[in-house]
């Protein structure tokens, strides 16, 4: 097209042709970047789906006595709208686009389909008709699932948009007006009822929390462990145009969040509050409302900073911490050469990209194939940037990815991505995380979780303390290591070979006061998502051995050692408060810790805040009486047939997990790719500007 223009300067450029040219140039940029060589013996050549090439041997170092960090058991979670068959998790969270419009009094909700939305009872339609109007029945479903599958931590989403569905009468028409919606209030300022008034046109959030606390108990007593301040508020105006007629502003979201969080803490001060639960890099930057964000952009780097500062100030005014966990959603935004999301892709290019996509969480040398990540490169990688924001604006706040997904649920690349992500979450001290699959087949993604939580089908799990591990910066493999408490003989190592065709030989050296003699090997691979135990154990001499990793395989190595050494140490905090932080140690919610003598999947007390040490103003937030012992808490276990899988958890279906290089040291991958992509992108932009300018000039000439 450009050659045609140069040869014929009188040609007026067609706008559609401009768009095609821009897409072509961007695709060329991405393909070129994907094929750039890396220093070393190999190079990356994922262009048009060809496999990555890499070294066939690596050196792996495990230092069992160093880098001790607690691994939160709550990172092994799942969103509720998923099959639980053959899956072992520690956390479950309500997850549905309808939740912003959910009316807990009647179980009505809106379909969240924009202008074509409708009110109905879809969230509870599988229950018998005579039960569908029971208050909070959708949350009862969550608790029932948790009990059936032995999931200790349960999380509920509260409504903050301002309107909930008032009926189940179907399509919402522009002429319907406000009568199709009930208004949400955060505080009732009156006595609560076990049978809420469904005819008053109002829905109260503190009454909802009180209802749940009375039915299931406080968080500290095994009730609902945490509450989310709604779901993806940046999308309200798009999903619910009849209820949210414009985009929410940053100040409005902070004001609502603080008010709702305070209402929760007055009812159950032991429950954790999670927010803002926004999704994607654009929302992290400006809440998808750039016009509003312009007035804050000069002072704050991105919306995350402004939100944390706003919630800290509100907490200081309220006299108690209102935000326990900074929560975000991240579904990979990487694209293929045609600028299509790889999260839905099954082609080789998408699968190859998926293997590397979790690096956006931690690796400053990684450049994702997405426009949004390139445009906002200063905020990548995500976890270190989020931690920096927390430390600067609201120290002591924990970090959560309550929705994450890289796709490939039924493909080995999806299993590897989940295993790698969980290894990263463990190393970086992420507090809670829940996978949210986007496909019906989740067999490999389940394996990516199970390799950590139930690799042997008998509750065998990864340890609760991360230790230092390193693979020399090799991008086509990952390694994560753990022990239980300070017991160095309980070493477990997760290894992943991401190469499609090459067997990778790992020379593994362990530094430890314990002497290891052998290791059992559990794995899953591209042939099967089933986690299997190898017939042969690894023999170890002088804490060193060689191990051949088959292509596209995730391994869990379970070591047997002698000369047990129990280290006396205090685990490093996952988030360090700055000296300027005005909060004391009692300001930071204290989670119930996992026993050092058991593994993560063993029975543990679900997370909660110790109410007696919670207030930041020197007084306890225990004004609300503890709810009475509920007679229905244990008896309300019936799950409708449609929501219950009815299948027992089988050891044959447990699946493995993959991991990524750990590190207290900077990963050794060079920055050549990132620089090249930025240069190529700049070239594309300049070319487009030149074409557009020439088009306008020639259009004026042709009009004379």
């Amino acid at each position: 097209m450009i050659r045609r223009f140069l040869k014929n300067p009188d040609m007026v450029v067609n706008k559609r042709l401009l768009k095609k040219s821009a897409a072509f140039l961007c695709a060329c940029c991405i393909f070129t970047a994907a094929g750039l060589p890396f220093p070393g013996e190999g190079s990356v050549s994922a262009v048009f789906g060809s496999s990555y090439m890499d070294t066939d041997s690596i050196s792996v170092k495990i230092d069992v006595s160093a880098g001790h960090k607690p691994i939160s058991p709550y990172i092994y979670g799942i969103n509720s709208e998923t099959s639980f068959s053959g899956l072992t998790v520690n956390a479950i969270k309500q997850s549905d686009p309808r939740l912003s419009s959910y009316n807990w009094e009647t179980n009505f909700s809106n379909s969240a389909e924009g202008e074509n939305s409708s009110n109905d009872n879809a969230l509870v339609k599988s229950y018998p008709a005579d039960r569908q109007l029971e208050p909070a029945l959708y949350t009862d479903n969550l608790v029932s699932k948790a009990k059936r599958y032995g999931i200790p931590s349960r999380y509920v989403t509260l409504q903050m948009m301002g309107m909930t569905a008032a009926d189940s009468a179907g399509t919402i028409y522009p002429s319907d007006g406000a009568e199709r919606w009930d208004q949400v209030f955060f505080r009732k300022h009156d006595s609560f009822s076990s049978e809420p008034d469904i005819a008053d046109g109002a829905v109260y959030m503190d009454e909802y929390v009180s209802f749940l606390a009375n039915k299931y108990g406080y968080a500290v007593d095994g009730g609902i462990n945490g509450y989310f301040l709604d779901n993806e508020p940046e999308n309200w105006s798009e999903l619910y145009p009849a209820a949210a007629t414009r985009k929410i502003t940053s100040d409005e979201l902070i004001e609502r969040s603080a008010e709702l969080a305070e209402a929760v803490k007055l009812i159950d001060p032991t429950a954790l509050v999670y927010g803002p639960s926004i999704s994607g890099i654009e929302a992290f930057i400006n809440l998808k409302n750039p016009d509003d964000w312009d007035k804050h952009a000069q002072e704050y780097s991105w919306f995350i900073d402004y939100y944390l500062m706003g919630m800290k100030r509100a907490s200081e005014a309220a006299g108690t911490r209102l935000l326990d966990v900074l929560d975000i959603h991240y579904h990979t935004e990487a694209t293929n050469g045609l600028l299509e999301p790889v999260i839905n892709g099954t082609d080789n290019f998408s699968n190859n990209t998926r293997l590397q996509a979790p690096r956006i969480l931690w690796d400053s040398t990684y450049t994702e194939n997405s426009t949004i990540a390139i445009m906002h490169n200063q905020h990548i990688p995500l976890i270190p940037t989020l931690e920096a924001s927390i430390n600067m604006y609201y120290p002591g706040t924990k970090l959560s990815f309550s929705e994450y997904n890289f796709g490939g649920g039924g493909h080995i690349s999806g299993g590897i991505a989940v295993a790698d992500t969980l290894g990263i979450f463990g190393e970086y001290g992420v507090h809670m995380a829940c996978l949210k699959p986007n496909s019906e087949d989740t067999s490999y993604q389940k394996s990516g979780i199970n390799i950590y939580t139930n690799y042997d089908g008998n509750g065998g799990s990864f340890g609760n303390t991360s230790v230092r591990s390193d693979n020399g910066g090799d991008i086509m493999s990952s390694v994560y290591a753990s022990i239980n408490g300070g017991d160095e003989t309980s070493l477990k190592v997760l290894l992943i070979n991401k190469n499609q065709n090459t067997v990778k030989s790992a020379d593994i050296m362990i530094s430890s006061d314990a002497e290891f003699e052998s290791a059992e090997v559990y794995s899953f691979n591209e042939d099967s998502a089933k986690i299997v135990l190898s017939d042969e154990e690894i023999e170890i001499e002088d804490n060193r051995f060689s191990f051949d990793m088959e292509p596209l395989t995730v391994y869990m190595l379970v070591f047997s050692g002698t000369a047990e050494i129990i280290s006396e140490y205090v685990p490093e905090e996952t988030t360090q408060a700055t000296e300027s932080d005005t909060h004391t140690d009692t300001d930071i919610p204290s989670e119930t810790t996992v026993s050092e003598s058991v593994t993560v999947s063993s029975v543990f007390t679900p997370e909660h805040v110790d109410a007696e040490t919670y207030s930041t103003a020197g007084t306890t937030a225990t004004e609300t009486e503890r709810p009475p012992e509920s007679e229905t808490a244990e008896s309300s276990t019936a799950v409708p047939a449609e929501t219950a899988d009815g299948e027992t958890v089988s050891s044959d279906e447990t699946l493995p997990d993959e991991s990524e290089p750990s590190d207290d040291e900077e990963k050794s991958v060079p920055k050549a790719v990132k620089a090249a992509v930025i240069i190529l992108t700049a070239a594309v932009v300049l070319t487009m500007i030149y074409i557009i300018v020439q088009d306008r000039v020639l259009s004026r000439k042709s009009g004379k």
Side-chain angles (χ1 to χ4, degrees), residues 436-666:
K436 186 176 182 181
N438 65 325
S439 59
E440 292 185 7
D441 185 355
T442 58
S443 56
Y444 273 101
Q445 288 181 319
K446 286 180 178 179
S447 295
I449 296 175
N450 285 339
I451 199 72
Y452 287 97
T453 59
N454 193 17
Y455 57 77
D456 59 0
N458 293 309
S461 64
F462 204 53
N464 55 32
T465 302
S466 176
V467 301
R468 182 173 297 164
S469 60
D470 182 72
N471 69 345
D474 177 45
I475 65 170
M476 295 309 296
S477 65
S478 292
V479 57
Y480 302 97
S482 72
I483 57 175
N484 287 318
D487 180 5
E488 295 194 5
T489 65
S490 62
L491 177 65
K492 296 182 179 71
V493 174
L494 188 79
L495 288 167
I496 303 171
N497 183 3
K498 303 177 188 177
N499 200 289
Q500 288 191 5
N501 305 303
T502 305
V503 174
K504 189 181 292 288
S505 178
D507 181 15
I508 301 176
M509 182 171 63
I510 303 171
S511 297
S512 174
D513 291 329
E515 295 182 5
F516 297 99
E517 299 173 348
S518 62
E520 292 183 326
V521 180
Y522 296 84
S523 66
F524 69 97
N525 56 37
E526 61 179 329
D527 295 328
S528 173
K530 179 181 176 181
I531 299 176
V532 296
L533 172 63
S534 174
D535 293 334
E536 298 183 4
E537 288 188 345
I538 296 173
E539 294 184 359
I540 304 170
E541 185 175 351
D542 296 329
N543 279 0
R544 187 166 185 165
F545 63 98
S546 294
F547 180 65
D548 289 339
M549 297 188 291
E550 295 296 321
L552 295 179
T553 303
V554 179
Y555 296 93
M556 176 66 76
L557 276 54
V558 181
F559 290 81
S560 296
T562 59
E564 178 176 347
I565 303 296
I566 304 297
S567 302
E568 299 277 339
Y569 75 96
V570 177
E572 301 172 21
E573 293 295 330
T574 56
T575 304
Q576 298 290 343
T578 62
E579 293 182 2
S580 61
D581 181 21
T582 58
H583 299 284
T584 65
D585 291 341
T586 58
D587 297 337
I588 302 174
S590 58
E591 305 301 325
T592 301
T593 58
V594 180
S595 170
E596 293 187 351
S597 63
V598 296
T599 56
V600 171
S601 66
S602 300
V603 176
F604 60 86
T605 303
E607 65 169 350
H608 66 273
V609 174
D610 185 348
E612 294 182 358
T613 60
Y614 189 80
S615 172
T616 60
T619 58
T620 59
T622 56
E623 301 172 6
T624 307
E625 293 184 3
R626 283 182 176 273
E629 292 295 330
S630 171
E631 297 179 359
T632 59
E634 294 300 326
S635 61
S636 179
T637 58
V639 181
E642 186 167 323
T643 59
D645 299 288
E647 300 177 36
T648 58
V649 178
S650 166
S651 61
D652 289 344
E653 296 183 40
T654 55
L655 305 175
D657 153 77
E658 107 180 299
S659 87
E660 176 126 343
S662 93
D663 114 345
D664 290 286
E665 302 175 357
E666 179 71 13

Side-chain angles (χ1 to χ4, degrees), residues 102-108 132-137 164 182 188 195-205 207-208:
Y102 174 59
N103 186 330
W104 72 271
E105 297 180 351
T106 61
N107 299 300
F108 299 148
Q132 290 179 1
L133 290 177
E134 290 181 15
L137 188 60
T164 61
D182 283 342
K188 189 175 183 180
E195 294 292 333
D197 185 351
I198 64 174
D200 61 359
V203 177
Y204 299 100
M205 288 298 100
E207 189 170 43
Y208 184 20

Side-chain angles (χ1 to χ4, degrees), residues 152-175:
S153 291
R154 299 82 59 94
Y155 304 92
V156 166
T157 298
L158 299 178
Q159 289 64 55
M160 197 169 66
M161 180 173 64
M163 297 288 180
T164 61
D167 58 50
S168 58
T171 303
I172 298 286
Y173 296 101
S175 59

